[in-house]
Amino acid sequence: MSLGMACALASACCFGIASVLQAVAARAVEAGSASGVDPVLLLRVLRQWRYAAGLALDALGFLLQVTALRSLPLYAVGASLAASLAVTAVVASWLLEARLSTAEWAAVATMCAGLAMIVPASGAQGQHPGPAALRWSLLGLALVVLLIGALAGRFADRPRALLLGLGAGAGLGVVEVAIRLVESLTSSWRGV
């Protein structure tokens, strides 16, 4: 297994474990309003060691993701990161004492089997930089994602959840493609 794939899978583990740790910390803090949305909630949650550990794992996962994206095709890293859902399910069954059904365990096993097929099937990535139009389009899309996130707070629960989910998914794609378009740090520093 290549270093890139190992980094991608380790990143998925970091993200999955971080999600559960943050959920445990959020459950330990009571919401300050009836709707559960409280501007000070983040400050209260940050005092929980599990939440801080989750943030540290998110940061480590992101660094591992960047390393993987620099050496593997986007689809291989994206599929590997999707495995964080399986990691979340397994860790939640242990830390949150959630019972997974047979179908959910089968889904975890299927995800692992799919990843086992992607590892040998992923080929070499292209080494050519994207055109300038792609870079400008990516910047424009990033601004649209930011605008969606800013406007989502003004909507009711259901549309807000839909818009935030749309923004999060698009943001993930923007980050993955942007990492591939950015020149390596070593070549950037050589030009200085």
Side-chain angles (χ1 to χ4, degrees):
M1 179 180 350
S2 71
L3 174 64
M5 187 56 74
C7 286
L9 294 174
S11 177
C13 289
C14 287
F15 290 145
I17 294 168
S19 296
V20 177
L21 287 175
Q22 290 165 349
V24 168
R27 286 182 176 189
V29 174
E30 290 191 29
S33 69
S35 69
V37 178
D38 182 7
V40 189
L41 180 62
L42 180 61
L43 295 175
R44 289 196 307 271
V45 169
L46 283 172
R47 293 184 197 141
Q48 301 284 325
W49 72 266
R50 288 179 192 96
Y51 197 83
L55 288 178
L57 281 172
D58 279 335
L60 176 61
F62 181 72
L63 292 175
L64 290 166
Q65 176 187 6
V66 169
T67 303
L69 284 168
R70 300 303 284 172
S71 62
L72 291 176
L74 284 174
Y75 72 88
V77 177
S80 299
L81 291 179
S84 67
L85 294 173
V87 172
T88 300
V90 171
V91 174
S93 72
W94 176 53
L95 283 181
L96 296 174
E97 298 177 6
R99 271 185 80 83
L100 297 180
S101 68
T102 304
E104 290 165 331
W105 280 112
V108 168
T110 303
M111 171 71 76
C112 293
L115 281 175
M117 289 187 276
I118 285 177
V119 170
S122 62
Q125 68 171 358
Q127 297 296 328
H128 303 290
L134 178 60
R135 292 182 180 141
W136 286 107
S137 299
L138 195 62
L139 179 61
L141 185 57
L143 293 173
V144 168
V145 169
L146 182 64
L147 182 63
I148 287 172
L151 293 176
R154 301 179 191 271
F155 289 93
D157 287 344
R158 258 195 163 158
R160 179 176 53 224
L162 176 67
L163 286 173
L164 288 175
L166 174 67
L172 177 67
V174 165
V175 168
E176 285 188 353
V177 174
I179 288 170
R180 292 297 296 273
L181 291 177
V182 172
E183 292 182 34
S184 74
L185 294 176
T186 54
S187 66
S188 298
W189 284 106
R190 275 186 258 153
V192 173

